[in-house]
Amino acid sequence: MEQAAEYNFSKMLYLKNKATKLDVANYTVIIPSICVGNAAQLACDLLIASKKLKRIGNLSHSALIPVYGPSAYQHEPNEFVSSCELYESVEDKLLVIQFRTPLIARHTKTFQINLVELLQAARRVIILSGSFGFERRFIDDSPWAYRASDNFKAAHAAQLDGKTSLVKWKEHTGEHIFGGGNALQLFQAFKEKQVPVMLLFRYLLEGDNSTDASLIVRELNELCEDFLQLHDGGDGSFKLTVPKSWNLLFGNEVTELLF
């Protein structure tokens, strides 16, 4: 088992600088779950474009459907995109992982094990996700819910601790997040390795989830402004940059020849 895990891990990381290891010590790592409306992936798109993160490499694994295409971001026009990419800000010690394909179910568990091994030296890991809006049982409940490991809660007690918390999220205690993809399983995998980890998700519906994506980023900034560094001006406000790939978010326009 150990030999198989080592083999998969050594083959999954491809960095542009040809390094064989990823140094994430003192880094914040943000990972989207492939969830309802792709809201988490869209939120990571906004983060990458707004902070002009640099593409440093990609991951390859049997769980990832191969894909290759032109750049998704205007600040890196000569880059290409693939199934799973790594974007970094050295200054802010921020690493964002972006998925562009769904995961193949029978290989997902192995991929999660390898991903946790790759990132277990990180200072903290934040998993973004979404859940079906009709799973929100009471209309007065917050549209946000989170799950955090004990060591993450200890590090962010002021933001998350009870009635005095800065954010008003409901703590999720269930065994499932319907529509949340593999978010909860990935959270448990990091937690078992004692990595400070938080899972944040929003209740939403299928459709144009670009607004949900911007709300996820803004809500996350309430907790994480110190390391996201998303601010513009003395009032603490910030402006998000929409990536050029969103111009065709729902494909090309319908040709008039059809009518």
Side-chain angles (χ1 to χ4, degrees), residues 170-215:
K170 182 177 180 180
E171 186 168 6
H172 178 266
T173 57
E175 297 181 357
H176 305 282
I177 299 176
F178 296 101
N182 69 320
L184 197 53
Q185 294 89 339
L186 188 59
F187 169 84
Q188 295 292 355
F190 278 108
K191 183 180 177 182
E192 289 173 3
K193 292 293 185 179
Q194 302 299 312
V195 180
V197 58
M198 182 188 74
L199 164 60
L200 172 65
F201 66 93
R202 176 176 171 81
Y203 291 100
L204 47 87
L205 300 174
E206 289 279 12
D208 182 355
N209 296 105
S210 55
T211 299
D212 291 300
S214 63
L215 290 173

Side-chain angles (χ1 to χ4, degrees), residues 56-200:
I56 62 170
N58 66 281
L59 300 180
S60 178
H61 195 276
S62 53
L64 298 168
I65 299 172
V67 68
Y68 188 76
S71 174
Y73 309 108
Q74 48 269 47
H75 70 279
E76 290 195 321
N78 298 321
E79 286 287 353
F80 294 91
V81 299
S82 59
S83 305
C84 182
E85 303 165 300
L86 307 174
Y87 290 87
E88 179 188 39
S89 169
V90 177
E91 180 182 359
D92 298 327
K93 291 194 176 296
L94 177 67
L95 179 72
V96 177
I97 297 178
Q98 180 62 300
F99 293 99
R100 303 199 183 276
T101 66
L103 301 177
I104 298 174
R106 65 176 180 173
H107 298 302
T108 298
K109 186 175 181 180
T110 304
F111 176 72
Q112 289 179 171
I113 292 172
N114 294 157
L115 187 63
V116 171
E117 181 183 355
L118 179 68
L119 302 172
Q120 63 183 354
R123 181 179 179 183
R124 56 196 153 208
V125 173
I126 297 174
I127 302 167
L128 302 179
S129 189
S131 182
F132 293 118
F134 51 77
E135 291 295 333
R136 184 178 161 202
R137 302 301 182 183
F138 301 98
I139 196 169
D140 292 334
D141 277 352
S142 170
W144 304 95
Y146 79 100
R147 192 86 164 253
S149 61
D150 290 340
N151 49 6
F152 190 99
K153 288 181 180 179
H156 296 276
Q159 293 96 328
L160 297 174
D161 190 16
K163 296 181 179 179
T164 61
S165 62
L166 297 178
V167 294
K168 304 301 180 183
W169 304 334
K170 182 177 180 180
E171 186 168 6
H172 178 266
T173 57
E175 297 181 357
H176 305 282
I177 299 176
F178 296 101
N182 69 320
L184 197 53
Q185 294 89 339
L186 188 59
F187 169 84
Q188 295 292 355
F190 278 108
K191 183 180 177 182
E192 289 173 3
K193 292 293 185 179
Q194 302 299 312
V195 180
V197 58
M198 182 188 74
L199 164 60
L200 172 65

